[in-house]
Amino acid sequence: MESLIIFKDVTKKFQLFWEEITILDKTILNINRDELVLLYGPSGSGKTTVLNLLVGLLTPDEGEIQVAGLFLDIIPEREKADFRAKYFGIVFQEANLVSTLTVKENIILFQELCGLEIDDKEKKIDDLLEKLGIDHRADSFPSQLSEGEKKRVAIARALTNNPFILILDEPTGNLDRETANQICALIEELFQTTDMTVILASHDPKMKEIVSTIYRVEGGNIELEKEFSERRKKNTVKYRPLESLERIKEELDALDIENNKHIEEESTIE
């Protein structure tokens, strides 16, 4: 199976006062569509940086990043949010729910902010919440939820755009062991019953029991630690064609052309 995600000689550095810190140093990474990937390593090793590079929130200082053949550096900064909304589902370490909105209202707000056009959106939300076992919390406010329930809401929000790639940053962080185990089982089920590629960043050793591929992130490198071919996605899963990404490319190109047209018109008026 061809690579879905490619890091080629990616370097990322940060300036901390007078010191330059290298987080990644000429890193190579290849992820296929049928993988459930764990980026494993201690806190501060660069796992979150890898995820932020992957979704275009950060830009590498050197090297190339491709998602399904699309070079992320060709996407104008103003269009990257649209790309993320249509292609990725992202679950950050914190749920980041709006405290004055209910669970369902938080997800609807996300859909509207992303400009997602979803038929019968409330039914889709109800179906997602039921699948994740929190349908009874649809009208609850964040302050009424447990940490595990907040995490499930964040996952539901990330799934609302039916993404190709699901990204989860420390999905079991701040959870008790029983709840963390439930989240692990949920992630495994989502992976095996959909065509989504799932990428986790965690230092929770329990995650090693469910993933197909483990990469160690440490010392500026991403090293393959172990593969479990039997845990890859089953052959019964039907994949959406990646031509869907081609449509995104066309939309981005069209938006870029339209924006350039407006700039030219404004210059003519001046």
Side-chain angles (χ1 to χ4, degrees), residues 130-268:
E130 182 178 1
K131 182 178 180 65
L132 299 180
I134 49 172
D135 48 312
H136 62 295
R137 288 301 204 178
D139 298 319
S140 299
F141 291 93
S143 61
Q144 299 171 306
L145 305 178
S146 67
E147 289 302 315
E149 288 171 336
K150 289 178 183 177
K151 189 67 70 174
R152 288 172 185 263
V153 174
I155 294 173
R157 182 177 58 191
L159 294 176
T160 192
N161 63 336
N162 198 24
F164 284 89
I165 303 171
L166 179 62
I167 304 287
L168 301 106
D169 192 2
E170 297 290 357
T172 59
N174 301 321
L175 301 181
D176 61 81
R177 187 68 266 166
E178 181 180 357
T179 304
N181 289 344
Q182 292 172 358
I183 294 296
C184 286
L186 173 61
I187 292 169
E188 186 177 20
E189 180 186 358
L190 287 170
F191 171 69
Q192 290 293 354
T193 57
T194 70
D195 73 341
M196 288 187 300
T197 302
V198 180
I199 302 173
L200 314 170
S202 179
H203 59 269
D204 183 353
K206 182 70 176 179
M207 288 294 179
K208 291 187 174 184
E209 299 177 13
I210 68 168
V211 299
S212 68
T213 314
I214 303 171
Y215 286 98
R216 181 78 181 179
V217 183
E218 197 168 15
N221 296 313
I222 303 177
E223 303 248 348
L224 178 62
E225 183 174 297
K226 199 161 186 178
E227 290 183 284
F228 303 90
S229 57
E230 70 277 8
R231 296 183 189 169
R232 287 177 179 256
K233 206 178 291 291
K234 303 297 185 291
N235 293 331
T236 53
V237 172
K238 293 184 178 180
Y239 292 94
R240 286 167 289 171
L242 285 177
E243 284 75 14
S244 300
L245 182 58
E246 292 299 323
R247 289 197 294 273
I248 294 174
K249 292 180 187 178
E250 291 172 3
E251 291 171 11
L252 290 171
D253 288 342
L255 283 169
D256 199 37
I257 291 170
E258 187 65 26
N259 287 330
N260 288 336
K261 181 180 177 183
H262 286 316
I263 291 172
E264 290 174 1
E265 290 175 349
E266 289 173 3
S267 300
T268 302

Side-chain angles (χ1 to χ4, degrees), residues 42-60:
S43 296
S45 61
K47 302 186 299 296
T48 298
T49 297
V50 174
L51 297 185
N52 286 336
L53 285 165
L54 170 60
V55 300
L57 289 172
L58 290 176
T59 303

